[in-house]
Amino acid sequence: MSRKFVRFFAHLAAMVLFLSGMVYGQKIKPDHTTRVRPDPSIKAMINEVSAKNIEGTIRRLVSFGTRNTLSSQTDPNRGIGAARDWIFAEFQRISTGCGGCLTVEKQTFTQPKAARVPQPVEITNIIATLRGSTDPDRVYVVSGHYDSMCNLDATDTTCEAPGANDDASGTAVSLELARVMSKRKFDATIIFMAVAGEEQGLLGSTYFAKQAAEQKMNIEAMFTNDIVGGVTTYKTAPDRQTIRVFAEGVPSNETEDEARERRSVGGENDGPSRQLGRYIKEMADIYSPLFKATLVYRRDRYGRGGDHIPFLERGVAAVRFTEPHEDYTHQHQSVKMVDGKQYGDLLEFVYFAYIANAARINLIALANLALAPAKPKEVTIMTGKLTNDTELIWHASPDRTVAGYEVVWRETTAPFWTHSLRIPNYFFVARPNVPGFHSYTFKEMSKDNYFFGVRAVDRHGHKSPVVYPRPER
Ligand SMILES: [Zn+2]
């Protein structure tokens, strides 16, 4: 039988199934969890992540003695300048390995005096961009901070500040992902980044996020890896094979009107960053059965912050990756021995195999995001009529890679999406009064009793994160 015939019958069968589903309304038996056939190219990339390379990066970064943002910019061996130049050269070397596929830049700015900046100082972010092939204006950012500090006074520029965990580990993740992912093509653009000034008050990431917002860069997701070293003192902890993903619920940049609307109908658990967190966990569960992503429903740990925050404040969905247990004797501490106990963020307290797993979770999420179509836009739940039917509408994506959409739902008390229904593109009926939109109606399934969402899917099964609908009368 020719391929054309096979395809015709497949479509016919799908149509019959779909129409019977429409007739029986919610009696359709949806997948309990959204099923994805793992993509072999993503599996191959997972295997290419190397703990050895990560170890090499961290050893090198630690060898600069201190990477305090206020330390020497010109000494070739010690200080932040030496680290900056080495990271820049590494990204360039990776780019040479892929035929110049990365654009590697130093983004330098002068930071004026601030709380932890006694004199104006130059701060440099290193940015390596892998341009997307079909949708280059859609951008994903993965970042770590390469600056370090030794004790509670972030302005001490001469003390030993190895910063092996905080945050050579996160910087090593950015470099390793660039090495592995630059050998492939993705629909969307990926930026691999190492920023400075984090310990001085998120200065490098704030500058980048501000510039990106001014240039109207469409960043659909941002990851910061900060303290992903898998500290060795917790090597035998029962939840060792996990990484925490901190994802806020209510958006940091929510307006008063949005807050009012949210209070009236819920949605505190459904902001874009929370959806991104769910996505990371969902993809990690599919591709990484042994090492898990644990979603934490908060922006960050108590009293702490990270480079995702300036992005959140500008409306970008962003999460923070951090090891499951932290050992505060090896963070922001001077290197010292007290009563036979070693303090300091030293090389010997990070675990390279753990960091490789952390990198793999990042890779799984990033690759799926950048291979999938963009999130559906203008997703709306119609609330004008008192009815037990639920109507969702969303903008018909102009992206030719979109093969269809998936509507998802869950009980209002459920933490994750529990049900989904795949709707191929060709079944859509454009709303007659709203051209360019798709709609789907759940018969006798009340919007008051469930949370709903919509995501886009391509023909290989790559999925976008879920978009939670805005109510409209
Ligand atoms: Zn840090």
Side-chain angles (χ1 to χ4, degrees):
M1 221 172 2
S2 80
R3 271 181 62 181
K4 244 187 182 167
F5 262 112
V6 172
R7 236 200 263 148
F8 173 76
F9 281 115
H11 283 206
L12 197 67
M15 195 177 303
V16 168
L17 275 173
F18 181 78
L19 292 175
S20 62
M22 284 186 46
V23 172
Y24 290 107
Q26 82 274 32
K27 281 185 198 128
I28 295 170
K29 281 222 178 74
D31 297 341
H32 188 64
T33 48
T34 47
R35 246 178 289 160
V36 172
R37 210 179 309 130
D39 176 335
S41 80
I42 296 177
K43 282 171 135 180
M45 283 188 278
I46 293 168
N47 290 331
E48 286 169 33
V49 171
S50 150
K52 199 96 208 114
N53 285 337
I54 286 167
E55 176 177 351
T57 298
I58 296 175
R59 280 188 186 282
R60 195 59 197 252
L61 289 171
V62 167
S63 78
F64 298 116
T66 176
R67 302 186 307 279
N68 188 292
T69 296
L70 312 174
S71 64
S72 172
Q73 307 252 352
T74 51
D75 188 320
N77 302 312
R78 186 178 172 89
I80 190 138
R84 171 200 63 209
D85 294 346
W86 182 81
I87 295 165
F88 181 72
E90 275 301 287
F91 275 125
Q92 280 189 318
R93 192 175 61 83
I94 291 167
S95 185
T96 306
C98 63
C101 72
L102 296 174
T103 308
V104 185
E105 294 159 281
K106 285 180 182 169
Q107 181 186 58
T108 302
F109 63 99
T110 303
Q111 170 65 42
K113 257 172 92 156
R116 293 171 159 200
V117 182
Q119 333 287 343
V121 65
E122 282 209 339
I123 294 180
T124 302
N125 299 325
I126 319 287
I127 301 164
T129 305
L130 179 63
R131 194 178 152 81
S133 51
T134 58
D135 193 4
D137 293 338
R138 174 162 50 103
V139 179
Y140 299 97
V141 178
V142 59
S143 180
H145 71 86
Y146 70 94
D147 63 310
S148 66
M149 63 184 274
C150 63
N151 56 39
L152 290 175
D153 175 17
T155 58
D156 187 337
T157 62
T158 54
C159 60
E160 289 300 310
N165 199 348
D166 188 9
D167 183 33
S169 65
T171 306
V173 168
S174 286
L175 275 166
E176 184 60 3
L177 294 186
R179 189 186 68 81
V180 173
M181 299 180 85
S182 61
K183 294 178 192 151
R184 267 90 174 179
K185 292 223 178 313
F186 296 89
D187 296 11
T189 293
I190 305 174
I191 291 179
F192 307 94
M193 188 157 78
V195 299
E198 197 271 352
E199 305 291 8
Q200 255 59 30
L202 316 177
L203 302 178
S205 55
T206 300
Y207 186 83
F208 179 91
K210 213 171 138 222
Q211 290 282 303
E214 278 165 19
Q215 292 161 24
K216 302 211 174 354
M217 189 189 280
N218 173 28
I219 304 175
E220 287 232 333
M222 187 272 180
F223 299 173
T224 184
N225 285 277
D226 198 350
I227 312 181
V228 293
V231 68
T232 52
T233 49
Y234 281 102
K235 217 154 67 175
T236 55
D239 51 356
R240 174 72 175 172
Q241 296 299 332
T242 62
I243 185 157
R244 288 181 292 174
V245 183
F246 287 87
E248 72 176 14
V250 174
S252 291
N253 70 327
E254 185 168 75
T255 63
E256 262 310 307
D257 283 352
E258 287 164 344
R260 203 171 305 118
E261 183 180 283
R262 196 182 294 278
R263 275 195 294 276
S264 73
V265 290
E268 298 85 353
N269 194 4
D270 282 275
S273 298
R274 187 63 53 79
Q275 304 302 351
L276 177 63
R278 286 195 180 97
Y279 184 85
I280 294 165
K281 186 190 152 40
E282 177 189 2
M283 294 303 155
D285 283 348
I286 293 163
Y287 286 89
S288 176
L290 300 178
F291 189 90
K292 299 281 186 193
T294 305
L295 191 52
V296 183
Y297 283 178
R298 41 169 58 114
R299 186 164 83 165
D300 210 321
R301 300 101 77 229
Y302 281 100
R304 310 293 290 270
D307 287 324
H308 54 318
I309 292 176
F311 289 83
L312 292 171
E313 286 169 345
R314 289 164 180 82
V316 175
V319 297
R320 174 192 185 118
F321 289 90
T322 297
E323 61 193 14
H325 306 280
E326 293 174 75
D327 185 337
Y328 304 106
T329 59
H330 304 299
Q331 281 180 26
H332 299 188
Q333 290 279 357
S334 304
V335 178
K336 62 188 175 202
M337 251 334 199
V338 178
D339 300 331
K341 187 171 170 49
Q342 180 71 62
Y343 287 78
D345 191 352
L346 292 161
L347 194 66
E348 66 205 78
F349 297 111
V350 296
Y351 202 72
F352 307 114
Y354 178 93
I355 306 167
N357 281 332
R360 290 183 181 107
I361 299 294
N362 275 261
L363 185 148
I364 289 163
L366 262 184
N368 274 288
L369 286 167
L371 287 167
K375 290 186 281 195
K377 299 201 170 43
E378 295 175 64
V379 180
T380 308
I381 189 161
M382 305 311 288
T383 62
K385 280 182 274 178
L386 291 176
T387 165
N388 287 319
D389 294 349
T390 296
E391 185 186 13
L392 294 164
I393 71 166
W394 61 94
H395 193 253
S397 175
D399 184 342
R400 290 224 207 124
T401 69
V402 173
Y405 299 86
E406 205 172 69
V407 288
V408 296
W409 66 96
R410 65 181 205 270
E411 301 268 350
T412 60
T413 52
F416 300 107
W417 299 109
T418 54
H419 292 74
S420 69
L421 184 64
R422 185 70 70 85
I423 306 173
N425 232 353
Y426 39 85
F427 289 123
F428 282 113
V429 188
R431 279 168 60 83
N433 50 346
V434 192
F437 276 75
H438 292 319
S439 80
Y440 185 77
T441 301
F442 288 90
K443 293 277 177 207
E444 286 298 313
M445 199 168 155
S446 171
K447 57 193 170 294
D448 300 326
N449 301 347
Y450 301 92
F451 286 138
F452 291 91
V454 183
R455 69 202 317 190
V457 187
D458 75 6
R459 67 192 171 89
H460 307 288
H462 301 125
K463 298 174 181 188
S464 79
V466 169
V467 179
Y468 184 71
R470 295 276 317 268
E472 198 188 281
R473 292 188 63 80

